[in-house]
Amino acid sequence: MTHHIGRRSMLRGGLVAAAALATGPALLAGCGSDADPTPSTPSGPPRRGGTLRAALVGVGAAETLSYFHGGTNLDFVRARAMHAALGNLDPTAPDGVRYEVLEGIDVSADLRSYTLRIRPGLTFSDGSPLTARDVLYSLITPNDDPRALGVYKTPGRNFDLAKAEVKDVRTLVLPTLAPIADGRLLLCQGNYLVLREGSRFEQNAPTSGPFRLTTFEPGQGTALVRNDEFALPGLDGAYLDGLELRNIPDSDARASALTNGQVDFAGDLAPITARTLDGDDRVVVTRSESPYVSGLFFRLDMTRKPFDDPRVRTAFKLAADRQAMLDTVLHGRGVIGNDLLSPGFPGYADGIEQRPFDPDGARALLAEAGARNLEVTLTTGPETPGMVEVATLYVENLKQIGVRATLRELPAGQLFADFPAYVKLPFAASFSVPVPPMPLYQVSYGGQNPSALGWNRPDVDALVTKARSTADPAEANRAAVAAQQAMWTDGNTIAPVFKPFVTATVPTLRGVREDLFEQFPGFSRASLR
């Protein structure tokens, strides 16, 4: 049975959020265990049918269907439900990825050409075939959009898309701009999705994913039904009849909606919220493990004084009380950061010494740099739980070393909404998604990337290129470690802690983790029993 949601029902979803906000503080009255409960996993094969109701963080009335612009949890969960991915990272798979739209990727011996093989028989929701031309269109489109988030432009920084060749309906050849060995990891991160050639983000546009859109009301929610044209090996369409995505920005409110029976899935919960739910037999709390953790980090614009001075940047790194952030904000559930992203992935430089909390050393470096009476404003927002809280503690850390620091908190969904404006901030907070270190460098730093806030090190770019362009693992690792050492020493990133992705669900929900992207599940394998 398909389940359609009209305007009144969707608006009631907004009222659910308001009711949950009113009851949310009651969650804090209880005291939860620090341990995850033993999940009550439903037995037997997945059951078809039912509508999953999910509470997520959205941007509000400014929401659009363009995931190129949206930086919230709701934006990308909706996108993955509607649009199939080329593939997802999977360290257990032979190529390190689990292919989805792609049947496989062949790499030339000289690492200068990647041949993408599209699965046979794939179609869009209107029955039209999914072809190599659609895949190429999906990779090219964000490059022409000045508002698109930088991550979607990464393929264009690695492959010469203008010279791409559609060999036939199922074969696309992408020449590289320089030899790369990790192109499979780059293309199959779970965020490169397939649109039909020539389509835009209209509500009636055909989609390639497990669900198709029926209702979209910005700031309220989204209703989708199963796309009967969607099929992958071992997966004959989604199990669910429908999917409701509700915008509930407050973490406690999402949890209250779950415990009150108004939703079945509460995504991206704050650590304190999750702690109150531990041991509640009405729900199952799940925390991801390293390397699938998200960095809560800060960037300094190296083109602006005083952050052009490496002594000031090092002082700001030494000022971070990482253990206090882990204990206070994450309640000990997370990973201490070392000012580098991607801990836990192969190629991460875990041999670099851990940067200490050293306020005296920080004060001495500021004095040596002549950087007295500094005034700085750190801009952040509740784009993921913990961002504001970690930023608040960090501002207090900076005050302790004599910096007159203030916090500027934007509303949920606004920090990245105007990305060109974001990359002009002198001092900004952000969060990372789990991606191996060298592909992530290309996304966030390399080639004078605007999101790098002034990091411009051709020598380090060359090391990363070497790490990515050799098939010799030992040589690649040496270059990767050298690049990360330079970033640790001279970089403009303060990455003090990494948090797990925390979700809470009804005990009858299964299959979410099988989607391989815990922060942004597409629910293609989810079922309710």
Side-chain angles (χ1 to χ4, degrees):
M1 178 184 73
T2 56
H3 182 60
H4 297 270
I5 299 179
R7 179 176 176 81
R8 289 186 178 181
S9 296
M10 193 60 70
L11 290 175
R12 281 199 296 272
L15 294 177
V16 167
L21 280 168
T23 59
L27 283 169
L28 303 180
C31 213
S33 162
D34 280 337
D36 287 338
T38 300
S40 176
T41 304
S43 59
R47 183 180 73 86
R48 290 195 177 274
T51 296
L52 174 65
R53 303 159 301 168
L56 302 157
V57 179
V59 71
E63 281 180 335
T64 75
L65 291 173
S66 174
Y67 59 90
F68 294 155
H69 303 154
T72 69
N73 189 254
L74 177 56
D75 289 320
F76 203 59
V77 168
R78 179 174 54 234
R80 278 177 55 85
M82 294 173 60
H83 310 288
L86 298 181
N88 294 280
L89 296 175
D90 182 359
T92 67
D95 289 339
V97 301
R98 186 175 73 191
Y99 296 109
E100 190 164 306
V101 165
L102 300 181
E103 188 175 55
I105 299 176
D106 300 322
V107 185
S108 65
D110 62 1
L111 306 179
R112 290 185 174 275
S113 177
Y114 279 63
T115 300
L116 281 56
R117 293 180 281 110
I118 289 82
R119 292 191 187 278
L122 297 183
T123 59
F124 289 94
S125 55
D126 64 352
S128 59
L130 190 159
T131 72
R133 295 189 65 86
D134 301 305
V135 172
L136 179 58
Y137 173 80
S138 303
L139 294 173
I140 288 175
T141 299
N143 294 327
D144 301 324
D145 185 345
R147 292 183 54 224
L149 298 176
V151 63
Y152 297 113
K153 300 186 179 188
T154 301
R157 297 190 181 106
N158 289 269
F159 298 97
D160 192 344
L161 299 179
K163 294 182 180 178
E165 182 181 0
V166 175
K167 302 284 283 188
D168 55 49
V169 294
R170 290 183 48 216
T171 310
L172 173 64
V173 179
L174 301 179
T176 63
L177 293 170
I180 55 172
D182 59 4
R184 292 188 181 98
L185 299 181
L186 189 151
L187 291 167
C188 296
Q189 293 176 19
N191 51 359
Y192 299 118
L193 310 177
V194 181
L195 309 171
R196 191 170 75 172
E197 184 181 18
S199 68
R200 288 293 184 264
F201 296 101
E202 298 93 355
Q203 293 201 33
N204 61 351
T207 55
S208 59
F211 299 93
R212 58 182 177 83
L213 185 70
T214 60
T215 305
F216 171 63
E217 299 215 7
Q220 298 295 330
T222 304
L224 307 104
V225 296
R226 182 173 59 238
N227 173 17
D228 291 327
E229 300 293 330
F230 176 80
L232 292 174
L235 187 66
D236 184 19
Y239 298 116
L240 297 167
D241 283 335
L243 180 63
E244 297 178 17
L245 306 178
R246 299 181 179 180
N247 177 26
I248 305 181
D250 181 79
S251 177
D252 290 341
R254 292 195 296 282
S256 288
L258 177 67
T259 56
N260 291 336
Q262 295 154 332
V263 299
D264 311 295
F265 176 97
D268 208 14
L269 294 178
I272 184 62
T273 305
R275 193 177 185 189
T276 64
L277 292 176
D278 285 335
D280 188 330
D281 60 10
R282 295 172 296 175
V283 302
V284 174
V285 178
T286 302
R287 295 171 173 87
S288 65
E289 299 178 355
S290 180
Y292 300 105
V293 290
S294 176
L296 303 176
F297 68 96
F298 314 102
R299 284 236 179 93
L300 311 168
D301 189 339
M302 295 175 64
T303 68
R304 303 194 190 192
K305 292 185 177 301
F307 303 135
D308 59 339
D309 191 320
R311 294 168 296 186
V312 174
R313 298 196 297 274
T314 300
F316 272 55
K317 295 170 188 175
L318 293 173
D321 190 343
R322 301 156 200 264
Q323 190 65 52
M325 293 173 185
L326 180 72
D327 295 341
T328 304
V329 178
L330 303 184
H331 302 283
R333 297 292 193 96
V335 177
I336 291 286
N338 196 27
D339 303 329
L340 298 169
L341 303 181
S342 310
F345 276 105
Y348 176 77
D350 54 9
I352 295 176
E353 64 178 293
Q354 174 63 51
R355 198 181 306 275
F357 171 50
D358 184 3
D360 290 335
R363 282 188 285 266
L365 281 172
L366 291 179
E368 181 183 323
R372 296 180 177 85
N373 300 317
L374 290 182
E375 291 188 31
V376 299
T377 298
L378 172 58
T379 302
T380 189
E383 308 308 297
T384 190
M387 273 188 74
V388 173
E389 293 82 356
V390 167
T392 300
L393 286 180
Y394 185 50
V395 163
E396 294 305 311
N397 293 162
L398 292 175
K399 290 178 180 177
Q400 293 170 16
I401 65 169
V403 176
R404 288 184 284 177
T406 57
L407 189 69
R408 177 187 175 220
E409 180 183 347
L410 299 179
Q414 294 300 310
L415 185 62
F416 308 116
D418 184 349
F419 195 68
Y422 170 80
V423 298
K424 293 179 182 177
L425 293 170
F427 189 16
S430 189
F431 70 95
S432 66
V433 296
V435 176
M438 293 298 96
L440 185 60
Y441 182 93
Q442 182 69 28
V443 172
S444 302
Y445 293 94
Q448 302 181 50
N449 190 316
S451 63
L453 273 65
W455 171 264
N456 181 15
R457 287 286 299 272
D459 59 325
V460 179
D461 291 356
L463 285 169
V464 173
T465 297
K466 183 176 182 180
R468 300 183 63 213
S469 64
T470 177
D472 180 348
E475 184 178 351
N477 187 67
R478 285 192 293 271
V481 169
Q484 291 171 84
Q485 181 69 64
M487 295 170 68
W488 186 87
T489 303
D490 296 325
N492 59 342
T493 297
I494 302 107
V497 289
F498 289 76
K499 73 179 185 75
F501 303 120
V502 185
T503 60
T505 72
V506 294
T508 54
L509 178 61
R510 63 184 293 176
V512 175
R513 276 194 161 179
E514 283 78 352
D515 219 37
L516 284 186
F517 207 153
E518 291 180 60
Q519 185 181 14
F520 305 116
F523 299 113
S524 64
R525 291 162 172 78
S527 66
L528 289 164
R529 293 194 65 85

